[in-house]
Amino acid sequence: MATNIQEEERSLNFIEEIVEEDLRAGKYASILTRFPPEPNGYLHIGHAKSIALNFGLAQKYGGKTNLRFDDTNPVTEDTEYVDSIKEDIKWLGFEWAHELYASDYFEQLYEFAIILINKGLAYVDDSTSEQIAAQKGTPTEPGQESPFRNRSADENLQLFADMRAGKYKEGEKVLRAKVDMASPNMLMRDPIIYRIKHAHHHRTGDEWCIYPLYDFAHGQSDSIEGITHSICTLEFISHRPLYDWFIEKLEIFPSKQYEFARLNITYMVMSKRKFLQLVNEKFVSDWDDPRMPTISGMRRRGFTPGSIKNFAERIGVQKRDTLIDMSLLEFCIREDLNKKALRRMVVFDPLKIVITNYNGTELLKSEDNPEDENTSVRDVPFSRELYIEREDFMEHPPKKYFRLAPGQKVRLKSAYIIQCDEAIKDNKGNITELRCSYIPESKSGSDTSGIKVQGTLHWVSVAHAITVELRLYDRLFKVEDPSNEEGDFKDYINPDSLQVIQAAYAEPALRKAKFDERYQFLRKGYFCLDKDGSEEKMVFNRTVTLKDTWAKEKKKD
RNA sequence: UGCCCGAUAGUAUAAUGGUAGUACGUCAGAUUCUGGCUCUGAAUGUUGGGGUUCGAGCCCUCAUCGGGCAACCA
């Protein structure tokens, strides 16, 4: 059927529709987007959505994307952040056409301000911050015009030049656009476009003491670069009339702004301000704590660029506030890791078993990844004494418990079928050891025993095991939407978001673990090596658990 | 109380005036040397009232609900 191919095409999001329409109408030969971070913090997965949108759009339609740092506020911005932002974007796998800075345009922006002054569309205001706020009016009442609103162009020019020359203190004077003090849009009530800041800028140093505000920098920067589609988040909708106003009055290239909803995910918070609190108040170790939804945190946690991009693709682009279910993110990373991760056996909470009818040691073969037809195979040492997971044995098992129990049989993964003969207890009644027997004909790959078992367990040989540290992460918050709960969001932090297992027992193959490799600890979850470890004591982060239908089954009781 | 957005299963996302579909999640089952993966099946949806139309999730209108807007932040 000819229509099948078309049917499989993903439908367009509203921004893609706009782009296709613009291209079809011949409005632009090709598109140019931009990603405009402010270098005052680390990127998070919300930014990843924006990055994927901006860069993805350009890729899809044969355009380009600029990386432009929106560095108009010298007091909060720093080169440290510039570097981390660039690293994160590269890690996600995107390349920008040009690395640019709003501060590159300071001289041009200054010229733009002069044009406005000459047109009688901007004026220097001596009012104080409080007076300006009072003049603004309220959403339901119009504002009052500043007494300085009607200065002559010449006077304004001189005053503005003096501002630049450093003749005034911070707050003494500002430059305002002359728009409309009665506008129903508060942002149009003569917005401030330049303020005095005697501060050192991370790139321009002490060259300037006046800095443009966002509204006077962003749109013009877009225009200077010839950005065709300037995509930002919903809270800028009300800035759009101003964005267009400056472009119109300045008669410069008409970049167009489009807005989409920022990303929210259940059990997370998503703002630099909140991250800062979490770090400063030691709820997490740092910005790259694996529980943080920062790109650096997620990278350390073991997320892959592909999984994040796939997630961004699946959630779509929308014009309304959304709260994405965390399980979708988990699905995306599991889907990716299932195909890539090397399988290894690690016992988290050991229970020793002795195979009473087995002696010596042998090397068994086990697949590195059963999802891969051409999988490599590794050796796993098997011997008389093994560790299994304590939770894989129950003396009095409930129905549908497929694991070990007295008299019950299970398969040891890639090894033999064993039967539990006896549970040894200490004088307090705790089970300290299991006596089992194995079935020699049941060896993995050459099983002639004819025995069917329901369960398969992971295990490690006591004599060959290495100990590793495991860091098990869980959601950072106990509630779906911590920002919308009563009180402080930090009241809802999950106290069990990190569980450390100092000594887990791992099969020896894990000794060769590498940082860029991903692992699935069989029946447990996906893990990756953490930078905190050493040769002697490796540390692994749990990226995500495996789906666990047995855990669900248990909860029902 | 002014202006601006928005509203489709639990959560997201399609249907562009003509059969409400998809994914995640949930539930049930099959399969399994990972209670993973895979496969099959099921339940759950157009905020409400009017109107236009042969026909409305879609267009108009009123209402309701949700979000945003009064930083010398971005």
Side-chain angles (χ1 to χ4, degrees):
Chain A
M1 286 212 287
T3 54
N4 270 352
I5 294 162
Q6 283 173 350
E7 277 168 6
E8 281 173 22
E9 270 181 32
R10 227 192 97 260
S11 57
L12 268 29
N13 64 51
F14 79 99
I15 294 179
E16 289 170 329
E17 279 178 11
I18 290 165
V19 169
E20 290 203 359
E21 180 52 35
D22 286 347
L23 258 15
R24 187 165 35 233
K27 193 167 169 186
Y28 310 111
S30 67
I31 65 164
L32 218 209
T33 58
R34 104 267 92 114
F35 176 63
E38 184 186 11
N40 69 345
Y42 292 83
L43 258 29
H44 54 66
I45 186 159
H47 294 109
K49 175 182 177 183
S50 172
I51 290 168
L53 213 208
N54 277 296
F55 284 88
L57 219 45
Q59 262 169 16
K60 181 169 178 178
Y61 296 103
K64 288 192 165 74
T65 305
N66 287 344
L67 170 61
R68 184 176 71 238
F69 291 94
D70 229 337
D71 55 350
T72 56
N73 187 356
V75 302
T76 56
E77 294 152 7
D78 199 274
T79 309
E80 172 201 349
Y81 298 116
V82 170
D83 296 337
S84 80
I85 288 168
K86 284 160 64 178
E87 183 191 353
D88 287 348
I89 298 171
K90 280 190 230 163
W91 177 76
L92 282 171
F94 293 109
E95 283 178 35
W96 50 87
H98 299 286
E99 177 185 333
L100 302 163
Y101 296 79
S103 54
D104 293 341
Y105 311 130
F106 280 172
E107 190 63 46
Q108 174 74 73
L109 262 11
Y110 182 80
E111 296 300 322
F112 283 153
I114 287 174
I115 291 172
L116 249 31
I117 291 172
N118 279 323
K119 286 188 168 189
L121 294 172
Y123 59 97
V124 173
D125 195 332
D126 303 357
S127 306
T128 64
S129 179
E130 295 71 32
Q131 286 168 330
I132 291 174
Q135 286 162 17
K136 278 256 167 174
T138 70
T140 51
E141 312 157 39
Q144 304 291 320
E145 294 188 355
S146 164
F148 303 96
R149 195 172 200 256
N150 295 311
R151 293 218 249 227
S152 70
D154 285 346
E155 188 185 2
N156 280 318
L157 250 18
Q158 185 57 50
L159 257 14
F160 189 48
D162 290 345
M163 280 170 65
R164 177 178 184 173
K167 292 192 182 175
Y168 306 110
K169 294 197 289 283
E170 289 187 15
E172 221 175 316
K173 286 186 165 44
V174 291
L175 186 71
R176 296 177 75 178
K178 192 191 281 189
V179 190
D180 177 8
M181 288 308 290
S183 171
N185 182 344
M186 299 292 291
L187 289 161
M188 301 296 273
R189 323 246 262 226
D190 288 13
I192 295 170
I193 57 178
Y194 264 94
R195 80 291 216 188
I196 296 166
K197 273 189 193 292
H198 292 282
H200 187 84
H201 187 279
H202 75 113
R203 298 196 86 232
T204 59
D206 299 312
E207 192 185 340
W208 293 86
C209 64
I210 56 171
Y211 294 92
L213 273 98
Y214 169 86
D215 286 307
F216 197 68
H218 200 94
Q220 287 94 311
S221 300
D222 284 341
S223 180
I224 290 165
E225 292 171 23
I227 301 298
T228 54
H229 302 264
S230 177
I231 302 162
C232 60
T233 44
L234 252 29
E235 67 269 27
F236 291 100
I237 287 180
S238 49
H239 293 247
R240 190 174 50 207
L242 195 50
Y243 181 104
D244 292 336
W245 191 88
F246 286 128
I247 283 175
E248 183 201 325
K249 300 303 179 195
L250 261 11
E251 300 174 62
I252 53 180
F253 178 81
S255 298
K256 290 290 178 192
Q257 174 183 301
Y258 302 94
E259 310 86 7
F260 72 99
R262 63 185 332 141
L263 172 63
N264 297 294
I265 303 177
T266 54
Y267 303 104
M268 294 185 190
V269 294
M270 201 75 75
S271 87
K272 290 180 197 171
R273 205 193 96 252
K274 294 193 175 91
F275 293 160
L276 199 61
Q277 290 182 54
L278 292 173
V279 173
N280 287 344
E281 297 170 37
K282 308 275 189 243
F283 289 106
V284 295
S285 61
D286 206 343
W287 287 86
D288 71 344
D289 186 297
R291 290 166 293 182
M292 293 279 269
T294 50
I295 303 293
S296 51
M298 292 177 72
R299 177 165 58 225
R300 190 170 168 193
R301 172 90 168 244
F303 279 83
T304 56
S307 68
I308 293 174
K309 285 190 277 191
N310 185 240
F311 174 73
E313 178 74 18
R314 282 171 179 265
I315 57 177
V317 180
Q318 51 288 122
K319 275 190 276 202
R320 63 185 147 130
D321 293 312
T322 57
L323 182 59
I324 308 285
D325 201 319
M326 189 186 68
S327 63
L328 181 62
L329 216 210
E330 293 189 338
F331 170 81
C332 289
I333 185 60
R334 286 190 184 114
E335 184 184 45
D336 196 27
L337 259 19
N338 179 45
K339 289 179 291 194
K340 291 178 175 155
L342 266 22
R343 313 292 132 125
R344 295 292 183 262
M345 292 196 284
V346 178
V347 172
F348 290 24
D349 181 18
L351 174 61
K352 189 165 135 185
I353 69 171
V354 179
I355 315 288
T356 51
N357 60 341
Y358 186 92
N359 283 298
T361 296
E362 68 181 304
L363 289 178
L364 300 170
K365 302 287 184 191
S366 191
E367 293 173 314
D368 278 332
N369 189 343
E371 295 297 307
D372 177 4
E373 294 175 6
N374 307 310
T375 181
S376 49
V377 166
R378 70 189 188 283
D379 291 328
V380 186
F382 182 86
S383 64
R384 180 183 169 88
E385 296 192 349
L386 310 171
Y387 288 129
I388 63 165
E389 215 63 67
R390 189 162 282 274
E391 65 174 16
D392 284 340
F393 174 80
M394 280 185 94
E395 198 172 11
H396 306 289
K399 64 280 169 202
K400 293 206 279 187
Y401 185 80
F402 301 153
R403 282 114 98 140
L404 252 197
Q408 207 158 303
K409 292 187 183 68
V410 294
R411 170 166 297 278
L412 294 178
K413 175 69 182 175
S414 301
Y416 299 92
I417 291 172
I418 60 165
Q419 172 174 312
C420 176
D421 301 320
E422 186 188 1
I424 313 285
K425 296 178 184 173
D426 63 16
N427 49 24
K428 293 194 205 90
N430 300 313
I431 295 161
T432 54
E433 183 181 307
L434 262 27
R435 295 294 166 100
C436 303
S437 49
Y438 86 116
I439 294 155
E441 308 80 54
S442 68
K443 183 171 174 174
S444 186
S446 53
D447 185 350
T448 56
S449 71
I451 298 168
K452 291 277 177 242
V453 292
Q454 296 256 50
T456 300
L457 307 186
H458 63 281
W459 52 275
V460 295
S461 166
V462 172
H464 303 86
I466 61 170
T467 58
V468 297
E469 177 177 324
L470 265 25
R471 296 181 181 172
L472 311 181
Y473 301 103
D474 197 356
R475 55 190 65 165
L476 232 196
F477 293 92
K478 295 180 290 191
V479 295
E480 281 204 337
D481 195 1
S483 305
N484 272 334
E485 292 285 341
E486 292 288 318
D488 193 276
F489 76 99
K490 296 192 291 308
D491 298 342
Y492 300 93
I493 284 182
N494 173 11
D496 305 316
S497 62
L498 169 61
Q499 185 198 344
V500 178
I501 296 179
Q502 295 289 350
Y505 295 91
E507 61 167 289
L510 208 56
R511 186 172 279 130
K512 294 194 287 267
K514 296 195 289 269
F515 281 102
D516 56 359
E517 203 67 77
R518 304 303 153 109
Y519 302 92
Q520 185 198 98
F521 294 173
L522 234 57
R523 303 206 299 138
K524 284 299 195 177
Y526 294 99
F527 287 79
C528 67
L529 200 54
D530 188 81
K531 64 180 181 183
D532 278 354
S534 63
E535 286 268 321
E536 306 80 58
K537 184 65 169 290
M538 293 196 287
V539 174
F540 289 89
N541 292 322
R542 184 173 71 194
T543 309
V544 64
T545 60
L546 257 32
K547 247 172 70 181
D548 190 350
T549 41
W550 172 243
K552 269 186 228 161
E553 189 71 29
K554 277 191 297 188
K555 265 192 201 164
K556 287 180 194 168
D557 300 331

